[in-house]
Amino acid sequence: MPYAKRRRTERPGDSSDPSRAGQELSPQDPAERARAICLRLLTGTPRTRKQLADALAKREIPEDVAREVLSRFEDVGLIDDAAFADAWVESRHHGRGLARRALARELRTKGVDATLIDEAVGQLDSDQEEATARELVARKLRATRGMERDRRLRRLAGMLARKGYPEGMALRVVRQALEEEGEDTEGLDENFS
């Protein structure tokens, strides 16, 4: 079977039509590019206004165009930093066991306004935070059996500290968990400091 003659596909500017020859594609409208970038980024996961602004700046979208597009996205509800912060706190506290301090730090790095952060982490009360700390210690407690008491304390309290729990709460929760296991906790607080 003979080979079929391949047709050359035309590209813009390649045409033999004299009216289109030499005509270059105009660069895409910056506002249209900005909208496309934001929509693509928002498709996978919610983002803060600052995250989107940073992405637009990285792609060299003019600042005034970016500001206009982001404001429009806020107006129609596609960007909502308060809702983002609330969802972040709910997800990261229940999913990873993070305390208010760690959640606030993460939200600051995402560019959320301080008042919105305070409102979002304010949803967690001390009792809820302590209950989560107890659950985390209970899950990790079995893995520390057989270690000396002070090492167990450091390991468990350190885990809570990395998740943003205050030192006093971490020590109290770990001490209670060790006592419930029958461990002698006399003088434990002094050894940790």
Side-chain angles (χ1 to χ4, degrees), residues 135-171:
E135 290 171 19
L136 291 167
V137 168
R139 278 190 258 158
K140 190 85 168 168
L141 198 60
R142 187 174 51 232
T144 64
R145 286 196 183 116
M147 292 181 187
E148 68 175 60
R149 183 192 69 176
D150 291 347
R151 186 169 178 208
R152 287 181 87 185
L153 173 71
R154 282 192 303 277
R155 176 87 42 103
L156 295 168
M159 178 259 308
L160 291 177
R162 285 188 297 280
K163 291 184 178 286
Y165 290 89
E167 181 181 353
M169 178 190 292
L171 288 174

Side-chain angles (χ1 to χ4, degrees), residues 81-97:
D81 283 358
F84 176 90
D86 291 344
W88 188 266
V89 166
E90 178 72 21
S91 168
R92 302 287 281 175
H93 178 73
H94 293 295
R96 303 241 357 255

